[in-house]
Amino acid sequence: MSHDLFNDEEHTAKYRLHRPGYPKKLYENILDYYFRGKITNERIPLALDVGCGSGQATVDLSLFCERVIGLDVSANQISRAMPNDNIEYRCHTAENLSFLQSNSVDLITAATTLHWLDIEIFLEEAKRVLKPNTGVLAVWTYALGTLDNPIADAIYHEFHHVLLFPYWDVKRWLADDYYESLVPLLPYKSTLKQATIEHRTETTLGHFLGFIESLSGCQTYRKQNGEQAYENMLANLRQKLIQCYVKTKLRNSTDETIDFDSIKMSVSSPIRLYLMRKNHM
């Protein structure tokens, strides 16, 4: 069953606002694979984006697909999903695609979501609904990423791997090896293609901390330890990162002459993409 860890209303608002999108190169790889290297202006007839969240990948897919269906188990995520005329959003699990006919879907995408699913059940449904000989399954993920400041990066990794360690759902760790441990479960091995896409995001400290708040481990910490402990944890992380990025000596931590949230930073998060084609009925 799909894990519903992103359903709280405030959490889903932060998720939409602060979760990063995906680079153009990712979609170029998908299109090149789908059209077998042919340069064309054709559009993919029907794409299904499972675990779509608030539609970060769904809205990108709508640019080169005739029609896109976005699925998520969170009603709050779906209510905040980014719209487009050719997108239909449904609050639905990825493991039960009974509303779709067999051999009817051209492209299925799972953007940083496969680890939250009941993988084997989902893959059986994906195999059923994909069109034979042309239907493509595209799965991708990214791991923790690296900050452009080495000291800040060490703080970030300690926060993620030590402080939040007890609060991560066990399924979260499946993404840390870029799904290498899940490759044996993937179908259509003879067609499988892997690609690693470098992805560097220019951001600000305030936006990055918003991303941190959108993480499921942070929200579990909040539920288990209470609002004050959660606010203290974030304030402590914020102060440590400020000290890494601000070069001049601060007069005091409440100095309002510096907009600390506007401090520029960048995050490198390579994306691992797996592409496979249904090669039989």
Side-chain angles (χ1 to χ4, degrees), residues 1-175:
M1 186 71 173
S2 301
H3 272 46
D4 187 5
L5 297 176
F6 305 92
N7 197 34
D8 176 81
E9 189 168 351
E10 183 182 353
H11 187 195
T12 55
K14 290 183 183 297
Y15 191 102
R16 172 168 176 170
L17 186 61
H18 296 293
R19 280 296 171 112
Y22 300 105
K24 182 180 178 182
K25 186 69 174 177
L26 172 75
Y27 299 107
E28 289 175 348
N29 273 264
I30 294 172
L31 287 169
D32 182 72
Y33 184 87
Y34 180 86
F35 289 111
R36 304 175 192 267
K38 182 177 71 172
I39 298 174
T40 178
N41 291 323
E42 291 179 63
R43 291 161 69 86
I44 298 172
L46 175 60
L48 176 70
D49 185 30
V50 301
C52 66
S54 48
Q56 280 81 357
T58 322
V59 75
D60 289 339
L61 291 167
S62 71
L63 300 177
F64 54 86
C65 296
E66 293 290 346
R67 181 182 170 216
V68 185
I69 302 172
L71 299 184
D72 201 278
V73 294
S74 168
N76 274 325
Q77 289 278 31
I78 292 296
S79 70
R80 294 179 182 275
M82 293 174 260
N84 206 349
D85 290 344
N86 61 338
I87 297 176
E88 173 193 353
Y89 287 107
R90 288 176 174 239
C91 186
H92 208 282
T93 71
E95 295 88 349
N96 178 6
L97 303 177
S98 56
F99 66 94
L100 291 168
Q101 294 183 348
S102 298
N103 307 316
S104 64
V105 178
D106 301 279
L107 171 67
I108 297 177
T109 56
T112 323
T113 196
L114 184 65
H115 54 289
W116 296 124
L117 306 180
D118 189 321
I119 297 169
E120 292 175 310
I121 295 176
F122 160 67
L123 290 175
E124 284 302 311
E125 276 289 79
K127 287 156 59 176
R128 179 184 67 80
V129 301
L130 279 172
K131 289 182 179 178
N133 304 315
T134 59
V136 167
L137 174 62
V139 173
W140 66 89
T141 193
Y142 58 86
L144 182 59
T146 304
L147 304 188
D148 56 347
N149 180 302
I151 299 175
D153 187 60
I155 291 168
Y156 175 41
H157 278 69
E158 181 181 15
F159 176 81
H160 186 281
H161 288 297
V162 179
L163 194 152
L164 286 186
F165 181 83
Y167 303 98
W168 291 111
D169 186 281
V170 65
K171 281 178 165 281
R172 165 64 186 82
W173 301 110
L174 293 172

